[in-house]
Amino acid sequence: MNLLKPLKLLFLLAAALAIGGCASHNYGDEQYRLRMAIAGKDILWVPSKLDMVHKMLDAAQVTRQDIVYDLGSGDGIIPIEAARKYGVRAVGIEYNPDLVALSQRNAQRAQLESLVSFKRGDIFVEDFSQATVVTLYLGEALNAKLMPRLLNMRPGTRVVSNIFRIESWTPDQIIRSDSGDQAFLWTVPARVEGRWSFGELPGLPKLSVQIRQKKQFFDAQVFVDGARIALIEDGKIAGSRLSLDFSRGNTRYQIQGEVQGQQFVGLLNGTVRVNGTLSP
Ligand SMILES: C[S@@+](CC[C@H](N)C(=O)[O-])C[C@H]1O[C@@H](n2cnc3c(N)ncnc32)[C@H](O)[C@@H]1O
């Protein structure tokens, strides 16, 4: 079944609701009068509401060091608000050339053109790998299509989606607006699946940990000197931060640190330096 048709109907319904209680800025101008549900490529244009835009960017903890990309940027509300409120660089990718031109004029009117730019293009073709924050308001089918690329982004990249979830990827946070709408936040996890060797540590000779990863969640088996001493269940990776908590006999151990590619650098029980190497 073609999933886009029901989604377009859903957007028409959303548009009708938005017209009824329109809580969004109207960024239309004399050159391009906006009306709801303007044709995009894979989904129609319906704007995010301003209070939700702020809630989404707040939840993503946007700072000046970030680069925000809005995929399917419509009238430019998300990149413009990101630059205005957080002083952050922001990019919109939008297929409809009239919306791109309008967004550019909106950015100029807000005197934010040094921070904000818009690119006319297809989000399934354009490169957005520079982003540290990705915003979406696209629908479930398009989110699902984007998921492999999103999961491949730099660990720690935040992804925020207005209204729609991303298929099987459990959100790290549910964001609720005052009007009862929902958005979802995810942080791209580092890839940690495989066998980590940590070498010799106090009380833990020849420590290695076999990790099985499901997106930001993992479980692991802990080996000392070749013997399994512990299981870790329901572990969670926070971007590039990995924490391994386990016991040997009555002694508790915690290894916490950062994953950088195939390497781990951290501390055992907050004091002893730990280096680890991943072999798949
Ligand atoms: C629901 S609107 C969201 C607009 C904006 N992100 C916001 O939150 O207000 C979706 C936008 O995606 C655009 N779009 C649809 N398919 C696209 C594609 N393949 N590449 C780029 N933009 C696309 C549409 O033109 C529309 O402006």
Side-chain angles (χ1 to χ4, degrees):
M1 188 178 79
N2 179 0
L3 282 172
L4 292 181
K5 276 194 179 150
L7 277 170
K8 282 184 179 171
L9 284 174
L10 188 65
F11 265 80
L12 280 173
L13 180 64
L17 290 171
I19 290 164
C22 195
S24 175
H25 263 322
N26 184 351
Y27 280 113
D29 63 12
E30 62 293 339
Q31 288 182 61
Y32 188 59
R33 284 268 161 245
L34 277 177
R35 53 186 169 74
M36 289 295 160
I38 291 168
K41 179 171 179 281
D42 297 312
I43 205 92
L44 301 169
W45 174 73
V46 176
S48 290
K49 294 177 186 169
L50 190 60
D51 67 326
M52 183 51 104
V53 171
H54 291 166
K55 285 228 150 84
M56 287 164 67
L57 296 168
D58 282 348
Q61 299 184 8
V62 172
T63 70
R64 277 174 195 270
Q65 280 67 52
D66 281 309
I67 305 181
V68 176
Y69 269 68
D70 185 32
L71 304 187
S73 48
D75 62 359
I77 184 172
I78 294 181
I80 289 171
E81 286 302 314
R84 194 185 62 72
K85 193 168 175 209
Y86 301 90
V88 68
R89 278 181 296 155
V91 181
I93 301 176
E94 170 58 50
Y95 195 78
N96 179 326
D98 294 324
L99 287 171
V100 174
L102 171 64
S103 310
Q104 283 161 345
R105 292 195 298 276
N106 286 335
Q108 278 162 12
R109 275 188 283 266
Q111 300 186 326
L112 290 168
E113 62 274 41
S114 61
L115 286 174
V116 181
S117 62
F118 295 95
K119 184 162 181 25
R120 199 250 151 167
D122 185 334
I123 54 173
F124 293 102
V125 174
E126 298 297 331
D127 178 27
F128 53 87
S129 57
Q130 287 304 306
T132 59
V133 175
V134 175
T135 56
L136 311 169
Y137 183 21
L138 291 171
E140 271 168 17
L142 297 183
N143 282 1
K145 202 171 155 192
L146 280 169
M147 184 173 74
R149 277 175 82 191
L150 295 169
L151 276 166
N152 221 10
M153 295 187 74
R154 263 179 304 203
T157 302
R158 285 87 78 212
V159 178
V160 206
S161 173
N162 193 2
I163 297 185
F164 300 102
R165 291 174 183 259
I166 305 179
E167 210 187 41
S168 55
W169 192 1
T170 306
D172 293 311
Q173 191 182 330
I174 298 179
I175 303 155
R176 290 192 173 81
S177 74
D178 297 338
S179 52
D181 292 337
Q182 287 190 343
F184 303 93
L185 170 76
W186 299 260
T187 300
V188 174
R191 289 174 180 235
V192 298
E193 171 123 351
R195 186 122 188 156
W196 287 90
S197 304
F198 295 101
E200 302 295 322
L201 291 168
L204 300 168
K206 289 193 198 149
L207 174 68
S208 69
V209 176
Q210 180 75 40
I211 294 185
R212 202 174 51 140
Q213 179 174 9
K214 285 188 186 150
K215 303 195 177 64
Q216 70 269 50
F217 303 107
F218 71 90
D219 43 51
Q221 302 180 69
V222 182
F223 298 87
V224 165
D225 239 344
R228 195 176 79 179
I229 59 141
L231 283 178
I232 301 173
E233 289 174 312
D234 304 324
K236 191 166 180 215
I237 307 146
S240 56
R241 284 211 62 80
L242 179 65
S243 177
L244 301 168
D245 297 31
F246 56 92
S247 299
R248 187 183 193 196
N250 291 329
T251 311
R252 289 199 59 77
Y253 294 93
Q254 183 179 60
I255 294 175
Q256 279 190 320
E258 292 280 328
V259 175
Q260 292 153 1
Q262 315 281 298
Q263 302 298 316
F264 173 91
V265 178
L267 292 174
L268 170 65
N269 294 343
T271 51
V272 181
R273 194 177 163 83
V274 181
N275 289 300
T277 307
L278 174 67
S279 37

